[in-house]
Amino acid sequence: MKLELCNLTKKFGDFTAVDQVNLTMENGVYGLLGVNGAGKTTLMRMLCTLLKPTSGSVSCDGKDIFRMGGAYRKLLGYLPQDFGFYPEFSVKDYLLYIAAVKGLRPAFAKQRVRELITQVGLAKAASKKMRKLSGGMKRRVGIAQAMLNDPKILILDEPTAGLDPNERIRFRNLISELAAERLVLLSTHIVSDIAYIATEILLMKDGKLMHRGTADEIAGSMDETVWECLVPKETAAGLMEKHKISNVRTDANGVVLRIISREQPAPDAVQAEASLEDVFLYYFGEQAGKAGSEAAKRRG
């Protein structure tokens, strides 16, 4: 299975949400990393044929996905950031309903629903109403509905948003399990979601793909160096104002700073190996903490 994006562009009026993206993906897990507003959701909605591009194309094994129509959607599983459900449906009834909407044969649908409920760890909650599920359990139902048709292409938009650390770990393990012999595209702004499971990481900023590669290759793309130093508390504030700081830890002897800088930031600073979190700060530092209406508009 191969998806090829050629000069893919989407504009909303004068705003360009996705800007001439060129990308080829085959089986494996691809982590689409960027802050809110980077264009991730707009890109994924085009890959799911929910939005038509302003220009450019997307092909699946050489065929235009918009011309393939239903044949392409049979290959596709999609978990949007917010998926709708009927709150009074049980988990089992909800999945059977979605299976019917997707046109699955009743006998196959019943078997598939039983398999997926077990696979996502909801066997004990199969009869529980959707409105009574925790956030993590709802996301597991979401991945189950995306997997009903045994898709060859699985697209997950911010699948761990709002989950606690334990649920995020469970979800990442589930995605790894489901990724065999599939193309999985996972968007997130949470670095740990993809650090260990992504075959390849895609950095997206302002609608453009900036870099792609393994975690090590992405870390090697930085033009600046990561430093660590222990400084007195009274010195720390000045360094934090002057440099990009990826981590701060206070101990009995002062403050340990992890600093991204071209030059040695302090006399006792020593070089450290760059992590994916350092890379995220390096590329998205000015935007990483932003939220609100402007970001929401840019996401499209």
Side-chain angles (χ1 to χ4, degrees), residues 3 30 78 113 135 182-183 186 207 221 228 265 270 278 284 295:
L3 279 181
Y30 295 82
Y78 175 47
V113 166
R182 287 186 178 85
L183 189 166
L186 160 68
S221 70
E228 286 191 350
V270 295
D278 296 321
F284 307 116

Side-chain angles (χ1 to χ4, degrees), residues 5-298:
L5 288 60
C6 182
N7 294 323
L8 190 64
T9 300
K10 181 63 180 180
K11 295 185 178 182
F12 297 96
D14 295 331
F15 175 69
T16 302
V18 175
D19 192 359
Q20 295 190 6
V21 170
N22 291 282
L23 178 65
T24 299
M25 296 182 288
E26 298 184 271
N27 286 356
V29 180
Y30 295 82
L32 185 60
L33 182 62
V35 296
N36 292 334
K40 305 187 301 295
T41 293
T42 300
L43 175 63
M44 298 183 114
R45 287 175 64 83
M46 285 192 285
L47 294 181
C48 293
T49 69
L50 297 173
L51 284 175
K52 285 191 174 182
T54 304
S55 60
S57 63
V58 183
S59 63
C60 176
D61 289 342
K63 298 178 182 178
D64 186 283
I65 64 171
F66 291 93
R67 293 181 180 178
M68 290 176 68
Y72 173 70
R73 285 187 285 276
K74 287 181 180 179
L75 302 173
L76 183 68
Y78 175 47
L79 174 61
Q81 189 169 352
D82 297 302
F83 72 97
F85 58 86
Y86 292 101
E88 296 303 317
F89 275 26
S90 69
V91 171
K92 180 181 177 181
D93 288 342
Y94 169 75
L95 291 174
L96 287 171
Y97 168 74
I98 296 298
V101 170
K102 291 187 175 186
L104 302 183
R105 297 190 307 274
F108 174 79
K110 288 181 182 179
Q111 178 183 347
R112 185 67 176 151
V113 166
R114 283 197 300 269
E115 292 172 351
L116 286 169
I117 283 176
T118 300
Q119 190 170 16
V120 300
L122 289 175
K124 293 182 178 179
S127 300
K128 201 170 186 178
K129 290 186 178 182
M130 292 290 294
R131 64 181 173 82
K132 294 186 177 181
L133 299 183
S134 67
M137 294 172 79
K138 287 175 183 175
R139 299 309 282 176
R140 279 186 264 162
V141 175
I143 191 69
Q145 66 82 26
M147 290 293 298
L148 279 167
N149 58 328
D150 194 19
K152 300 302 179 185
I153 301 169
L154 186 59
I155 296 179
L156 310 170
D157 189 3
E158 298 279 2
T160 63
L163 302 189
D164 64 38
N166 287 333
E167 283 288 0
R168 291 216 310 271
I169 292 170
R170 178 193 286 270
F171 205 87
R172 292 200 300 267
N173 292 340
L174 177 60
I175 292 168
S176 295
E177 180 184 339
L178 296 174
E181 300 181 357
R182 287 186 178 85
L183 189 166
V184 180
L185 178 61
L186 160 68
S187 81
T188 186
H189 62 279
I190 303 172
V191 173
S192 59
D193 282 352
I194 59 173
Y196 299 107
I197 65 170
T199 309
E200 190 166 4
I201 295 168
L202 313 170
L203 296 184
M204 191 169 191
K205 183 177 182 180
D206 297 331
K208 294 179 178 289
L209 281 186
M210 302 173 60
H211 289 287
R212 61 179 296 183
T214 64
D216 289 341
E217 289 169 344
I218 292 291
S221 70
M222 293 173 55
D223 291 330
E224 298 186 23
T225 302
V226 179
W227 306 82
E228 286 191 350
C229 58
L230 173 64
V231 297
K233 292 182 180 180
E234 57 270 19
T235 307
L239 288 171
M240 292 172 69
E241 289 180 4
K242 186 177 179 182
H243 300 285
K244 293 179 181 177
I245 309 296
S246 64
N247 194 51
V248 180
R249 186 179 78 252
T250 302
D251 66 18
N253 298 315
V255 180
V256 180
L257 298 178
R258 191 172 174 91
I259 300 173
I260 300 174
S261 173
R262 292 183 185 276
E263 306 294 336
Q264 186 179 22
D268 295 331
V270 295
Q271 292 187 15
E273 184 177 351
S275 68
L276 200 55
E277 289 185 346
D278 296 321
V279 174
F280 187 83
L281 179 68
Y282 174 71
Y283 284 110
F284 307 116
E286 294 181 358
Q287 296 174 283
K290 290 186 179 180
S293 60
E294 181 179 352
K297 291 178 182 177
R298 292 192 175 187

